[in-house]
Amino acid sequence: MQWRESQTNLYLVSSPAVTLNQNILQCSPAELSEGLVCFITEVKRPDGQPYSPDYLFYLCLSIQQYLFENGCTENIFSDHIYSKFSEVLAQTLRAFNPSCTASGSIYSRVEEEFLWDCKQLGVFSPIVLLNTLLFFCCKHFGFTTVEQHRQLSFAHLMRCTKTGQSCTKTTFLRFYPPICVKEFDGVPMKKHKSENKDDILEMLENAENPLRCPVRLYEFYLSKCFKSVLQRSDLFYLQPHASCTPSSPVWYASTPLDDRTLEAMLVRILAVKELRGVNKRGPDQQISGDMLLLSDEDSD
């Protein structure tokens, strides 16, 4: 804000007509949205060089954290009034090409823990819960495209239990990819379900921290959906109800989240350090030979 006010060359300012308040806590959501667009468009390092896309995202997350800490409840990454900012940020992050450290590890300024601190992961709102499920599926299933995430459905994701030799039970989510349907001379023909274990993906529970447990958060998601959608094979990420509150019994409509919103969420998630270079088969996918696999229905 101070830099904008000091400029005599208006060609350097993206929106000269926009007047911004230096105290963001005194800005209306509309004013803050305009200010954030100007911020990520104009901000430079002290030496005049541009910030990397991941660092810009980190700075915006820091602004979000500051707002939450000062009693502001709006989410600059998901609330409708911030849609222009979200779109510009997504465009910036699409160009993110992470660097590697000397040890060969991939570097990003944004780390998973900071997303939890900024309340971008958890159950703080319907859209944040969706963002959390998206994050888990990227991290544990290795999904990096909208098309991969669209394979998910309530009918193809099952809660299961592993029982070890010591009779200790471990809960996990198992994803069975949908059966492909091909046509032969115009007649649909079902392709047999693959028996290859590489096609089946699994996500272990986090027993040490239930508030960050994929299984528990997925169960909470199911509790906030209409029961009529829970067996659907064509739905997973649902559109949040615009007027719902945290105490509402149902958070989601029976319609899918639009691709544009899903893609913007995905671009932000894939900027996280822990997800750079993620592969399709992470550490959760290995099932040891001494485990007996049971679905919850069989276990009960």
Side-chain angles (χ1 to χ4, degrees):
M1 307 302 186
Q2 294 169 354
W3 174 86
R4 286 173 61 88
E5 292 175 359
S6 68
Q7 293 305 301
T8 56
N9 185 354
L10 296 182
Y11 288 105
L12 298 177
V13 180
S14 61
S15 302
V18 176
T19 302
L20 303 172
N21 191 326
Q22 289 191 28
N23 187 345
I24 64 174
L25 299 178
Q26 295 177 359
C27 293
S28 68
E31 291 170 336
L32 182 55
S33 179
E34 286 287 343
L36 288 167
V37 171
C38 294
F39 174 67
I40 61 175
T41 303
E42 300 169 358
V43 68
K44 297 290 188 296
R45 294 179 180 273
D47 61 2
Q49 295 300 310
Y51 283 102
S52 62
D54 63 313
Y55 208 110
L56 280 175
F57 184 28
Y58 172 80
L59 293 174
C60 293
L61 285 167
S62 301
I63 292 172
Q64 177 67 88
Q65 186 181 39
Y66 176 76
L67 291 170
F68 281 147
E69 289 175 348
N70 286 274
C72 299
T73 58
E74 61 258 25
N75 191 324
I76 63 175
F77 301 105
S78 60
D79 289 358
H80 180 70
I81 198 166
Y82 295 97
S83 59
K84 182 179 179 181
F85 161 69
S86 178
E87 182 178 342
V88 174
L89 178 62
Q91 290 173 354
T92 302
L93 287 173
R94 288 188 191 101
F96 177 42
N97 187 19
S99 58
C100 292
T101 64
S103 63
S105 60
I106 295 176
Y107 177 80
S108 172
R109 188 66 182 81
V110 181
E111 298 183 1
E112 175 184 345
E113 187 65 29
F114 197 41
L115 291 185
W116 292 102
D117 292 342
C118 298
K119 298 183 180 180
Q120 296 307 299
L121 297 177
V123 294
F124 301 102
S125 71
I127 195 68
V128 169
L129 179 55
L130 288 178
N131 197 59
T132 309
L133 296 176
L134 185 79
F135 174 83
F136 284 144
C137 291
C138 289
K139 182 177 181 179
H140 300 291
F141 292 167
F143 289 172
T144 59
T145 67
V146 172
E147 290 73 21
Q148 287 174 315
H149 283 274
R150 288 299 187 199
Q151 295 181 67
L152 293 166
S153 71
F154 295 108
H156 292 102
L157 193 63
M158 182 183 295
R159 182 183 183 275
C160 301
T161 301
K162 300 175 187 178
T163 302
Q165 291 180 338
S166 60
C167 295
T168 302
K169 290 187 176 182
T170 302
T171 305
F172 65 101
L173 298 177
R174 169 175 277 192
F175 170 60
Y176 296 90
I179 298 174
C180 297
V181 178
K182 294 186 176 181
E183 287 192 359
F184 180 74
D185 290 339
V187 179
M189 296 180 62
K190 283 190 176 181
K191 181 181 177 181
H192 290 293
K193 190 173 182 178
S194 174
E195 297 297 330
N196 188 350
K197 290 184 178 180
D198 290 338
D199 293 337
I200 299 174
L201 303 175
E202 289 162 356
M203 191 184 307
L204 289 176
E205 67 177 341
N206 183 347
E208 296 181 356
N209 192 342
L211 296 178
R212 298 186 183 185
C213 174
V215 177
R216 293 203 178 194
L217 292 183
Y218 179 60
E219 291 173 336
F220 182 76
Y221 178 53
L222 296 181
S223 73
K224 292 296 184 178
C225 300
F226 287 113
K227 291 184 179 180
S228 59
V229 305
L230 300 187
Q231 299 301 319
R232 294 278 295 270
S233 60
D234 59 340
L235 290 176
F236 188 75
Y237 298 106
L238 299 178
Q239 187 71 39
H241 281 302
S243 59
C244 77
T245 64
S247 61
S248 299
V250 175
W251 281 5
Y252 303 95
S254 300
T255 54
L257 189 69
D258 61 281
D259 282 352
R260 185 175 180 178
T261 301
L262 187 62
E263 197 266 344
M265 294 164 60
L266 183 59
V267 168
R268 293 196 299 270
I269 288 298
L270 292 178
V272 177
K273 178 181 178 180
E274 288 83 355
L275 297 190
R276 300 307 304 185
V278 68
N279 54 53
K280 188 174 181 180
R281 231 175 138 73
D284 288 0
Q285 310 310 320
Q286 302 300 325
I287 305 299
S288 61
D290 62 349
M291 290 290 192
L292 174 66
L293 300 183
L294 298 171
S295 70
D296 280 352
E297 186 177 22
D298 293 336
S299 178
D300 292 341

